[in-house]
Amino acid sequence: MPFVLPTLLTFLLDHSLSSDFFTGTCRCCMCGNNMSAPLPAIVPAARKATAAVIFLHGLGDTGHGWAEAFGGIRMPHVKYICPHAPTMPVTLNMRMSMPSWFDIYGLSPEAEEDSAGIKRASDNIKAMIEQEVKNGIPSHRIILGGFSQGGALSLYTALTAQQRLAGVVALSCWLPLRNAFPQASAGGAHKDVPVLQCHGDADPLVPFSFGSRTADKLKSLLDPDNVTFKAYPGLPHSACPEEMVDIKRFIEKQLPAISDE
């Protein structure tokens, strides 16, 4: 790999998604805030919530920055839920404790993966989806998404969920445990789920090639016409305003207002 552990730590400890994001400056969405809140950061719907977006942050981050970002593109009938990962030691970062959805052992495609941790985290997200269903929002009106490690978890969760989701937003990420999906599951709840996958072509942490190979894998598992892979020239391991506009359009398409609101 062309990058090494100190580079990853620099990104983790020195950058965050902040207010200058909306002025056109792209900054890394992983930060060194190791605080873990018991409840998600939520942007409530401006009127009755008939749809929801559940979005998972990246390694070392919390949900607060993404809640702020979604506040800037909110739709009045949509509730935005940005949970916080638990704090745990991360093998890749010399066992330093930080917010992480599961352990990460290495950055290469051949690296061992934390299978038990990924599945446990996925079960927790599925429980969160079920809670929203109990609150009155059907699963087909829920979009699941995430950035980096959170995006990876959102893809795995969507592909293993029994619920039919409205869509998936996968930013700067990869498909974990990809060999667990040898072929499309005919008739599965996820078969027709729309996916918006976004990746910067200058990403030094999760290389662009990871994203493009993930898109190819998704097209073999899902209806390929429902998988959109968008590249952002010059964008590193970050999000930017152009990407947020694309996310807003995807949400508007998949979660339109309904007549009884």
Side-chain angles (χ1 to χ4, degrees):
M1 301 293 289
F3 46 92
V4 294
L5 180 59
T7 302
L8 177 61
L9 288 174
T10 299
F11 271 82
L12 285 174
L13 299 176
D14 293 344
H15 296 270
S16 65
L17 190 153
S18 65
S19 58
D20 62 5
F21 173 91
F22 292 104
T23 68
T25 302
C26 296
R27 298 186 62 184
C28 183
C29 298
M30 297 192 295
C31 71
N33 182 355
N34 286 349
M35 295 178 65
S36 180
L39 296 174
I42 294 176
V43 180
R47 54 178 189 250
K48 179 184 176 182
T50 60
V53 173
I54 299 174
F55 194 88
L56 313 178
H57 63 74
L59 178 67
D61 202 358
T62 70
H64 296 297
W66 283 104
E68 180 181 349
F70 281 109
I73 63 168
R74 66 191 298 184
M75 297 171 62
H77 62 282
V78 179
K79 174 183 180 183
Y80 300 86
I81 306 165
C82 300
H84 310 290
T87 298
M88 66 177 66
V90 177
T91 300
L92 178 66
N93 286 342
M94 300 178 291
R95 301 291 294 170
M96 289 174 55
S97 290
M98 60 184 60
S100 183
W101 299 107
F102 50 85
D103 199 2
I104 298 180
Y105 303 138
L107 294 173
S108 74
E110 297 76 27
E112 181 184 356
E113 296 184 272
D114 178 16
S115 177
I118 292 168
K119 292 175 181 177
R120 181 168 56 250
S122 179
D123 287 343
N124 290 337
I125 301 306
K126 290 169 185 172
M128 185 174 298
I129 294 170
E130 283 295 340
Q131 184 59 53
E132 290 308 306
V133 172
K134 291 178 182 177
N135 290 341
I137 299 177
S139 65
H140 68 268
R141 295 279 292 169
I142 298 174
I143 285 177
L144 181 61
F147 175 83
S148 193
Q149 188 194 40
L153 180 58
S154 71
L155 284 175
Y156 180 84
T157 300
L159 291 179
T160 57
Q162 298 300 312
Q163 307 101 325
R164 181 168 69 90
L165 299 174
V168 181
V169 175
L171 311 182
S172 304
C173 66
W174 68 98
L175 176 62
L177 304 179
R178 62 191 181 280
N179 293 329
F181 306 101
Q183 59 186 12
S185 300
H190 61 267
K191 176 65 175 173
D192 296 319
V193 66
V195 176
L196 173 64
Q197 190 187 345
C198 305
H199 214 115
D201 69 2
D203 192 330
L205 296 182
V206 181
F208 183 76
S209 60
F210 283 27
S212 61
R213 281 183 285 186
T214 294
D216 290 342
K217 180 69 172 180
L218 291 174
K219 288 177 180 179
S220 75
L221 298 172
L222 307 173
D223 181 345
D225 291 336
N226 285 344
V227 179
T228 301
F229 181 58
K230 298 185 74 71
Y232 299 85
L235 181 67
H237 195 62
S238 308
C240 66
E242 179 186 358
E243 188 177 39
M244 294 303 293
V245 169
D246 290 332
I247 294 168
K248 180 180 181 182
R249 289 172 178 163
F250 181 79
I251 295 172
E252 288 173 342
K253 180 179 179 181
Q254 305 305 329
L255 299 177
I258 55 179
S259 58
D260 64 349
E261 291 177 357

